[in-house]
Amino acid sequence: MKRQERAVRDGAEDTVFFPIASGQKMSTERFNDRVAEMAREAGFNHYLLAEFPRGDRSSFASNHLVSNWPQELIDFYEEADLFYCCKLLAALKKTAMPVFCDKAPFESAAANQENQRLTTLFRGHGLKNTFAFALHDMHLRQYIFAFSGDRVRLARAEAMEQVFRGMEFLELYGQQKPPEQPTESLSSREVECLRWSAAGKSSEEIAIILDLSAHTVVGYLKSAMRKLDSVNRMQAIARAFRYRLL
């Protein structure tokens, strides 16, 4: 068995691919180079690293981190607003395994008038087949790695190598990108009220559970919404989950 394949099987840490030293600092350009290297060595021409869309942040621009997509493609895709509902994300939501898509992976999973133009545009720029997988870092933030080009489906060992490279990348990326936090800390009561609200309880029901007045509960929720820079309870709950407060 080849050394690289054996290392993948055994889960070796810093002896394969591109070793990353703990605490090593890297520039944005170097991070971009790492993802480009992953694409190049796997035989793909294009790459995309993005955060997995969340309820309160679903647009392509707000989740896009690194790619070598042509600017025309980035602009059109952002305007079409199809990233959060595309076929590729739908597939990744159903499995923990890598996926290989050869049929318009960035199209909307539902019928959409932009789909045909989008497919033509992607194929025109050479994004024909796409290999992708989702991983999370130590802060539980989830990311999408997507590599596109003309190459055929990856062999099992190649796919394993790419996933391992992605894990190495996020180990360092997560160290250098601390998790988002609200500008002002929430009190324990505010968090409790948000937690029960996330469970579907009304202000009156939360008041009974916490032995408070409904007016007090509403006050806690309004305070939490202000600290989370949210316009309603739903957005506050989504951001509280993002900040891992719930």
Side-chain angles (χ1 to χ4, degrees):
M1 182 182 292
K2 295 180 180 179
R3 176 174 177 269
Q4 192 175 71
E5 293 175 350
R6 184 171 60 252
V8 172
R9 183 201 66 185
D10 295 338
E13 295 182 335
D14 290 334
T15 58
V16 221
F17 318 135
F18 40 70
I20 297 174
S22 178
Q24 175 185 347
K25 295 294 183 182
M26 294 179 64
S27 65
T28 301
E29 291 74 18
R30 185 56 181 142
F31 274 122
N32 188 87
D33 291 343
R34 290 284 175 129
V35 184
E37 181 182 346
M38 290 176 65
R40 183 173 59 253
E41 296 195 1
F44 290 101
N45 299 322
H46 294 89
Y47 56 86
L48 167 69
L49 172 64
E51 293 192 52
F52 215 101
R54 298 183 293 266
D56 65 329
R57 193 165 71 184
S58 61
S59 71
F60 183 64
S62 61
N63 289 291
H64 175 279
L65 297 175
V66 169
S67 79
N68 67 338
W69 287 13
Q71 191 60 46
E72 176 192 12
L73 197 56
I74 294 175
D75 293 343
F76 179 80
Y77 203 48
E78 169 61 16
E79 182 180 352
D81 193 25
L82 299 178
F83 183 54
Y84 74 96
C85 62
C86 70
K87 295 177 182 177
L88 182 64
L89 262 69
L92 289 173
K93 288 177 181 179
K94 297 177 182 178
T95 180
M97 301 294 289
V99 299
F100 184 84
C101 301
D102 58 1
K103 294 182 180 178
F106 295 102
E107 277 189 3
S108 169
N112 190 294
Q113 61 181 359
E114 299 286 6
N115 275 346
Q116 186 173 357
R117 183 183 171 196
L118 185 66
T119 299
T120 301
L121 192 59
F122 269 85
R123 286 183 175 271
H125 284 291
L127 285 82
K128 181 180 178 182
N129 301 328
T130 296
F131 168 77
F133 53 89
L135 293 172
H136 62 76
D137 63 15
M138 70 285 286
H139 305 298
L140 299 184
R141 295 175 299 208
Q142 194 172 21
Y143 300 87
I144 299 165
F145 290 83
F147 305 98
S148 304
D150 293 325
R151 73 151 294 169
V152 297
R153 187 181 300 270
L154 278 69
R156 181 183 179 88
E158 290 180 294
M160 291 171 65
E161 178 179 332
Q162 285 297 88
V163 173
F164 191 88
R165 282 177 176 267
M167 293 169 65
E168 283 190 317
F169 178 91
L170 290 182
E171 179 68 15
L172 180 58
Y173 188 76
Q175 292 173 13
Q176 296 193 200
K177 186 183 178 185
E180 296 178 88
Q181 293 295 329
T183 55
E184 188 176 348
S185 297
L186 275 69
S187 70
S188 58
R189 278 300 196 191
E190 289 166 348
V191 172
E192 276 187 301
C193 290
L194 277 177
R195 182 176 292 115
W196 284 112
S197 187
K201 301 299 182 181
S202 66
S203 297
E204 290 73 18
E205 291 172 321
I206 297 172
I208 294 172
I209 293 169
L210 299 181
D211 194 22
L212 300 170
S213 71
H215 177 76
T216 300
V217 169
V218 171
Y220 281 132
L221 288 171
K222 285 184 177 180
S223 178
M225 288 163 52
R226 176 185 59 78
K227 292 178 179 179
L228 294 170
D229 192 24
S230 305
V231 297
N232 53 44
R233 294 188 188 185
M234 185 177 295
Q235 187 180 38
I237 290 167
R239 292 187 174 178
F241 273 115
R242 186 207 304 172
Y243 297 142
R244 298 178 66 186
L245 298 174
L246 303 180

